[in-house]
Amino acid sequence: METIYDVAVIGAGPGGYIAAIRAAQLGLKTVCIDDFTDAAGKASLGGTCLNVGCIPSKALLESSENYEKAIHKFHEHGISATNVSIDVSKMLARKDGIVKQFTNGIDLLFKKNNVTQIHGRAQIVSKGDVVSIKVGGASEVIVNAKNVIIATGSQPRHMKSVPVDNEYICDNKGALSIPNTPKHLLVIGAGVIGLEMGSVWRRLGAQVTILEALPHFLTAVDEAVAKEAKKIFTKNVGLDIRLGCAVQSVTRKGKEITVTYKEDDNLKTLECDRIVVAVGRVPNSSGVGLENVGVKVDERGFIVVDNHNVSSVKNIYAIGDVVRGPMLAHKSSEEGVAVAETIAGQYGDVNLETIPWVIYTSPEIAWVGQTEQDLKADGVPYKVGKFPFVASGRAQAIGDSAGFVKMIAHATTDRILGVHIIGPYASELISEAVVAMEFGATAEDIARIVHAHPSLSEAMHEAALGIDNRYLSL
Ligand code: FAD
Ligand code: NAD
């Protein structure tokens, strides 16, 4: 007899695979369809995040940071490290090993949780109480399901004037596999990927130039953090960040690339041997068959969903990068859990106001909630507490004391509206702020909580005290 699944998930990235596992855990008969293939042409679960995104980039960031520390930091501790060298192919192999471990891990999790998996490209062909999906692959199959979760993610935005070959001119995929340190790497786009990948190759010895089209740096980030970051990335890290620069054309002769760009109406050129294009990502909403069933997309290609991720067709849901909101793995996963629970008759919800952001540069940048410039623009009265890591004993002991914690609270209710960190382990510190905001905490609540000494979290405590100008260590 023909199988009718309770849930068919299209896409096995952090949105799709988590949705499938949660749905199966809740007793729903679940299938997950994914078309990703690795460099060897084999099916590989985990989507962008595990294969060519979060995990491999963090592996390279860690390797390159260790290399840089060995050269520039160890001597401060009295450790002499001479003839330090980096074997780039070993570094890449380590990264590939970590990716494999995690992508294989999803395969095991699917088996453990009774999720059926199908490799191939899915296209929705008809709707109704049962939705039909055609899956192209080695042999074409039709999958029928009472509910569909579209989790097709996103892909890099390419520029017509900069044709990506993923050898010399790379998007995020090629950028994670450059086989040796470039002499001069040009990054187009000073966003999250540009700064993370630029940092990796800068630490390994490349000259790195970043051309950013906008006249301002990191526009989504709190202005004080963006200003500090620009200063540190330029002076300490050595990234050559040029704002207001629009690339016009690229020509390659063998290994030499000439780039022409416009800055203040002047045409300029630069020579480089690799390019990373990191100018944002576009949702994967075409080729999914949305037009066959009337699932609406907006003018930028995002699938239109309500607060519970329901599309314009009642039993078709969409989550993750293919819908509104930040393009972040944890946001995709939480939407996956919420939708699976909604389908199972429970209550699923994701608070998009408290999604943490992290940029894994050195120093790290992390934030949650509103920026000072957002609040000014909205006319919301606020107070600020700001504590520099230079006054933190733990940061000094670690030898990483650049940056600060900035807390913003409502001027009259004292409720925390945003927390912005640039500094050591910002990625870990931000969790306290997320929990506080999710529970509607005030700055005084954080100020009254005991924080371990010496720990970096004391900087959060001091920033909260600073809201009422009650700093104890400043
Ligand atoms: P994806 O992970 O894109 O997965 C979608 C899957 O669906 C893919 O496997 C795709 O092949 C498949 N698919 C698409 N169409 C079809 C179809 N028609 N049929 C079958 N399968 C289909 N986010 C973070 O939170 N932290 C980070 O540190 C971070 N680092 C990043 C670094 C880089 C270099 C990049 C590129 C991204 C990074 N991100 C990070 C973003 C993160 O990867 C995405 O937000 C996340 O992967 C989105 O998850 P998703 O499940 O929505 O989609
Ligand atoms: P981004 O949106 O972070 O940055 C793109 C940058 O390119 C922007 O500053 C933009 O102004 C600039 N730009 C756009 N067009 C340009 C042009 N023609 N010339 C020069 N600059 C141009 O995008 P991204 O860095 O490609 O990353 C995509 C998304 O992936 C991120 O927004 C984020 O959601 C996700 N991501 C997250 C992490 C993380 O969480 N640590 C890491 C990497 C990627």
Side-chain angles (χ1 to χ4, degrees):
M1 211 177 69
E2 189 187 326
T3 305
I4 298 181
Y5 289 95
D6 294 314
V7 181
V9 183
I10 306 178
Y17 81 75
I18 290 289
I21 289 171
R22 187 69 191 122
Q25 283 175 349
L26 292 165
L28 300 168
K29 191 168 177 54
T30 305
V31 60
C32 185
I33 309 156
D34 188 86
D35 68 350
F36 194 94
T37 48
D38 64 16
K42 286 203 177 132
S44 185
L45 300 170
T48 304
C49 171
L50 266 61
N51 289 286
V52 287
C54 325
I55 300 300
S57 59
K58 267 76 255 178
L60 296 185
L61 280 157
E62 195 63 28
S63 298
S64 59
E65 187 157 18
N66 282 336
Y67 174 68
E68 196 187 52
K69 274 187 183 159
I71 294 177
H72 298 293
K73 288 271 185 181
F74 278 11
H75 68 93
E76 292 171 11
H77 299 264
I79 304 168
S80 57
T82 47
N83 295 327
V84 177
S85 65
I86 177 96
D87 180 341
V88 172
S89 55
K90 208 163 176 181
M91 176 185 82
L92 296 178
R94 174 184 179 272
K95 177 249 325 170
D96 291 340
I98 294 169
V99 167
K100 195 112 219 87
Q101 184 189 335
F102 279 89
T103 54
N104 287 345
I106 297 174
D107 196 55
L108 294 176
L109 286 171
F110 274 1
K111 286 187 180 116
K112 181 182 157 204
N113 288 285
N114 290 324
V115 174
T116 303
Q117 50 170 300
I118 301 178
H119 179 71
R121 190 156 182 83
Q123 194 185 19
I124 302 173
V125 286
S126 68
K127 65 179 173 183
D129 289 342
V130 173
V131 177
S132 291
I133 303 165
K134 186 173 76 182
V135 185
S139 56
E140 199 171 280
V141 288
I142 295 288
V143 170
N144 293 309
K146 293 180 195 162
N147 300 281
V148 173
I149 304 175
I150 302 172
T152 47
S154 63
Q155 57 183 296
R157 190 159 81 79
H158 286 175
M159 301 163 70
K160 271 200 189 115
S161 53
V162 191
V164 166
D165 57 20
N166 267 331
E167 194 181 351
Y168 294 97
I169 304 178
C170 304
D171 57 23
N172 63 287
K173 205 168 164 187
L176 292 161
S177 297
I178 296 176
N180 38 50
T181 306
K183 280 199 205 72
H184 184 188
L185 173 70
L186 170 68
V187 178
I188 307 178
V192 195
I193 296 179
L195 292 170
E196 290 187 357
M197 295 318 297
S199 296
V200 166
W201 296 106
R202 173 71 202 118
R203 290 167 188 166
L204 297 187
Q207 177 192 347
V208 177
T209 305
I210 306 184
L211 298 183
E212 163 63 45
L214 292 178
H216 303 291
F217 183 58
L218 285 178
T219 44
V221 173
D222 185 87
E223 272 168 9
V225 172
K227 193 172 162 206
E228 182 79 355
K230 175 90 180 345
K231 194 175 77 191
I232 297 172
F233 294 161
T234 306
K235 285 200 182 138
N236 304 8
V237 180
L239 297 173
D240 178 359
I241 302 168
R242 303 182 194 174
L243 303 178
C245 292
V247 172
Q248 308 292 304
S249 65
V250 167
T251 49
R252 182 169 74 82
K253 279 194 193 123
K255 291 180 179 171
E256 284 161 23
I257 309 171
T258 305
V259 178
T260 306
Y261 66 97
K262 206 180 216 181
E263 184 177 16
D264 300 329
D265 286 333
N266 299 316
L267 276 187
K268 299 187 173 174
T269 57
L270 63 76
E271 311 289 324
C272 60
D273 53 341
R274 297 268 173 181
I275 297 182
V276 170
V277 182
V279 294
R281 296 180 64 81
V282 289
N284 286 329
S285 56
S286 65
V288 192
L290 304 182
E291 60 291 347
N292 298 335
V293 288
V295 168
K296 286 193 188 131
V297 294
D298 69 16
E299 65 287 352
R300 291 159 66 213
F302 290 97
I303 295 177
V304 177
V305 289
D306 68 11
N307 289 344
H308 295 281
N309 293 85
V310 184
S311 78
S312 46
V313 176
K314 71 173 175 30
N315 54 349
I316 301 183
Y317 301 77
I319 59 170
D321 281 11
V322 78
V323 303
R324 84 285 177 262
M327 287 182 161
L328 296 172
H330 40 287
K331 177 261 191 185
S332 302
S333 298
E334 291 308 325
E335 286 183 335
V337 169
V339 167
E341 293 181 350
T342 302
I343 293 171
Q346 299 184 358
Y347 182 76
D349 184 51
V350 178
N351 181 1
L352 292 178
E353 306 301 316
T354 53
I355 306 273
W357 272 88
V358 179
I359 308 180
Y360 293 84
T361 41
S362 182
E364 291 181 345
I365 295 172
W367 73 96
V368 58
Q370 288 170 287
T371 62
E372 192 170 347
Q373 66 266 24
D374 289 339
L375 295 167
K376 260 189 203 147
D378 294 347
V380 178
Y382 62 87
K383 293 181 288 185
V384 173
K386 192 172 160 201
F387 188 79
F389 283 108
V390 78
S392 152
R394 186 72 201 280
Q396 291 289 358
I398 292 171
D400 202 352
S401 57
F404 52 80
V405 175
K406 172 175 173 178
M407 186 178 285
I408 311 177
H410 194 280
T412 48
T413 66
D414 196 39
R415 198 170 174 150
I416 300 169
L417 302 174
V419 174
H420 306 272
I421 309 173
I422 175 166
Y425 299 100
S427 53
E428 304 296 332
L429 291 175
I430 198 66
S431 290
E432 180 179 9
V434 176
V435 173
M437 286 184 64
E438 194 59 44
F439 281 78
T442 60
E444 189 187 351
D445 289 327
I446 299 290
R448 286 182 182 279
I449 290 171
V450 181
H451 289 70
H453 176 78
S455 72
L456 296 171
S457 70
E458 288 170 297
M460 183 78 76
H461 188 224
E462 284 282 347
L465 286 165
I467 293 279
D468 279 330
N469 211 8
R470 296 202 289 128
Y471 298 108
L472 293 169
S473 310
L474 203 61

